[in-house]
């Protein structure tokens, strides 16, 4: 089991201290992921910027959650699935959506299910989606902008999911009640 150091504001490289302070202000704590990423100020800043950019896309709270959790579950991220479960609850996402994503069951909303399946196709095929996949996504009411926004969200999740795999980041206390394991 590989682990990486989880930095505090005090132990972090100088260039990461202000970034961790921003995390503390935003979340009322320093998420473990941010503490790990602090070892590389560029990685932490990149993650924070990508997160902010993705949350300001055309996607609403349900759609953000679908993209994040479809990727988290597909990547089997022991840290991000519980964290985004808690975040989804804070964002007032319907519990049926949250549980379907965690359990890898189809969503009852056809448009959201299209978003989930297209996101999974993007992940599983490393961006080499078929014309049929694109057409089905467009037919559900999405467009080129959303294709590119999924890639943005995927970029954010690759940083967090891969970091958590290598670091074996412990789930933050606030999210431990949402613990999850890949079935």
């Amino acid at each position: 089991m590989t682990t990486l150091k989880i930095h505090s504001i005090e132990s972090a490289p100088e260039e990461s201290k202000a970034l961790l302070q921003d995390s503390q202000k935003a979340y009322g704590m320093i998420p473990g992921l941010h503490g790990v990423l602090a070892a590389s100020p560029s990685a932490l800043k990149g993650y924070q910027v990508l997160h902010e950019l993705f949350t300001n896309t055309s996607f609403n709270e349900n759609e953000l959650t679908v993209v994040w959790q479809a990727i988290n579950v597909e990547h089997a991220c022991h840290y991000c699935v519980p964290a985004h479960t808690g975040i989804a609850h804070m964002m007032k996402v319907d519990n049926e959506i949250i549980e379907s994503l965690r359990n890898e069951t189809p969503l009852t909303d056809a448009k959201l299910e299209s978003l989930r399946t297209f996101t999974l196709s993007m992940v599983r095929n490393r961006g080499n989606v078929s014309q049929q996949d694109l057409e089905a996504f467009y037919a559900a009411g999405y467009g080129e902008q959303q294709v590119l926004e999924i890639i943005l969200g995927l970029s954010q999740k690759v940083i967090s999911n891969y970091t958590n795999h290598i670091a074996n980041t412990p789930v933050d206390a606030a999210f431990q009640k949402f613990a999850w394991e890949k079935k």
Side-chain angles (χ1 to χ4, degrees):
M1 174 184 323
T2 306
T3 57
L4 301 177
K5 182 175 182 167
I6 301 174
H7 287 277
S8 65
I9 293 170
E10 295 75 27
S11 71
E14 196 59 41
E15 301 83 13
S16 291
K17 291 180 188 289
L19 299 171
L20 288 179
Q21 288 169 341
D22 291 344
S23 296
Q24 178 74 44
K25 286 179 202 165
Y27 305 108
M29 65 171 188
I30 297 172
L33 169 65
H34 295 207
V36 171
L37 288 170
S40 168
S42 295
L44 177 56
K45 179 70 173 172
Y47 176 80
Q48 289 176 334
V49 168
L50 288 173
H51 177 76
E52 181 180 349
L53 291 171
F54 186 65
T55 58
N56 289 307
T57 62
S58 65
F59 292 129
N60 64 33
E61 288 82 359
N62 290 337
E63 292 166 323
L64 290 169
T65 299
V66 168
V67 173
W68 278 325
Q69 286 292 59
I71 297 166
N72 291 334
V73 169
E74 183 66 17
H75 286 166
C77 186
H78 73 281
Y79 178 93
C80 288
V81 173
H84 279 282
T85 299
I87 291 165
H89 283 293
M90 288 183 252
M91 293 170 36
K92 307 287 189 231
V93 172
D94 185 272
N95 197 54
E96 181 182 336
I97 294 170
I98 294 168
E99 290 305 312
S100 290
L101 291 165
R102 286 172 56 95
N103 296 318
E104 300 182 87
T105 56
L107 298 165
T108 57
D109 181 291
K111 186 173 183 183
L112 291 178
E113 178 60 13
S114 175
L115 177 60
R116 185 183 79 84
T117 57
F118 185 77
T119 299
L120 288 172
S121 179
M122 188 81 86
V123 173
R124 291 172 180 164
N125 297 303
R126 294 179 172 83
N128 294 300
V129 295
S130 69
Q131 188 63 36
Q132 181 180 358
D133 287 342
L134 273 173
E135 289 171 9
F137 188 61
Y138 295 159
Y142 294 108
E144 291 179 10
Q145 178 180 353
Q146 290 74 38
V147 170
L148 296 170
E149 290 171 349
I150 291 168
I151 295 169
L152 176 64
L154 179 56
S155 300
Q156 176 200 0
K157 293 287 65 191
V158 165
I159 292 171
S160 62
N161 295 167
Y162 288 20
T163 298
N164 290 317
H165 289 318
I166 294 168
N168 197 34
T169 314
V171 176
D172 299 310
F175 303 121
Q176 286 176 359
K177 65 184 172 188
F178 304 118
W180 176 90
E181 287 184 26
K182 182 90 171 168
K183 292 180 183 178

